[in-house]
Amino acid sequence: MDQAFIARSNAYAPYSKFTVGCAILLENGEIIHGNNQENAAYPSGLCAERVAIFAAGANYPGVAVTSMAITASPIDDSFEKPVPPCGACRQSIAEYELRQEKPIEIYFMGAAGKVARANSLSDLLPLIFDRNYL
Ligand code: THU
């Protein structure tokens, strides 16, 4: 989570002013940072979790993701409740969990307060649409 806070400090969120940081721990010990990257054409931006997991997939192919830590809040750090990853990010993370056949632990929080934990992405996204339906 300390790494997620560092990642959040580098978020680019001039439009929403809601900053999110994500740190991924890989099974080889590497830590990957992601943060939300917004765009003047709003839908062209991307969430912190997907920036991070796509960077992991791009730079460390075949290395399993052990866990993800996420911190999210308006830039004034006012939010003190755990902020779970959005549905699109859950779908993207699920692809990696299924592919590696090992659970990914997800820890998430606001700018302060309690940390929530899921032992597996599948706990956050039941009835997932996956490659078995294609
Ligand atoms: N955001 C994330 O980075 N992760 C989420 O799971 C939810 C939302 C970002 C997207 C946008 O830059 C800002 O937070 C407000 O929605």
Side-chain angles (χ1 to χ4, degrees):
M1 194 57 83
D2 287 341
Q3 293 290 320
F5 273 89
I6 295 170
R8 181 174 165 242
S9 71
N10 293 318
Y12 176 64
Y15 306 106
S16 72
K17 298 184 169 35
F18 185 87
T19 53
V20 186
C22 175
I24 287 180
L25 176 64
L26 300 180
E27 69 176 354
N28 68 1
E30 289 286 340
I31 291 173
I32 314 292
H33 285 185
N35 36 50
N36 50 332
Q37 297 293 321
E38 296 187 349
N39 192 281
Y42 295 171
S44 300
L46 198 62
C47 292
E49 297 89 330
R50 276 176 287 165
V51 169
I53 202 143
F54 293 158
N59 293 295
Y60 295 92
V63 182
V65 172
T66 303
S67 59
M68 301 179 70
I70 303 155
T71 174
S73 173
I75 47 173
D76 64 2
D77 286 344
S78 58
F79 217 79
E80 300 192 352
K81 278 193 263 183
V83 181
C86 79
C89 287
R90 295 181 204 197
Q91 179 72 33
S92 294
I93 298 162
E95 183 82 19
Y96 287 76
E97 186 169 270
L98 290 164
R99 193 171 154 202
Q100 70 184 29
E101 298 180 336
K102 289 178 191 165
I104 298 175
E105 288 178 341
I106 319 275
Y107 297 84
F108 51 96
M109 65 179 291
K114 291 187 176 166
V115 179
R117 172 187 172 177
N119 292 326
S120 166
L121 186 280
S122 62
D123 291 344
L124 297 179
L125 188 63
L127 295 175
I128 185 174
F129 178 84
D130 63 27
R131 60 188 171 202
N132 296 313
Y133 295 103
L134 296 175

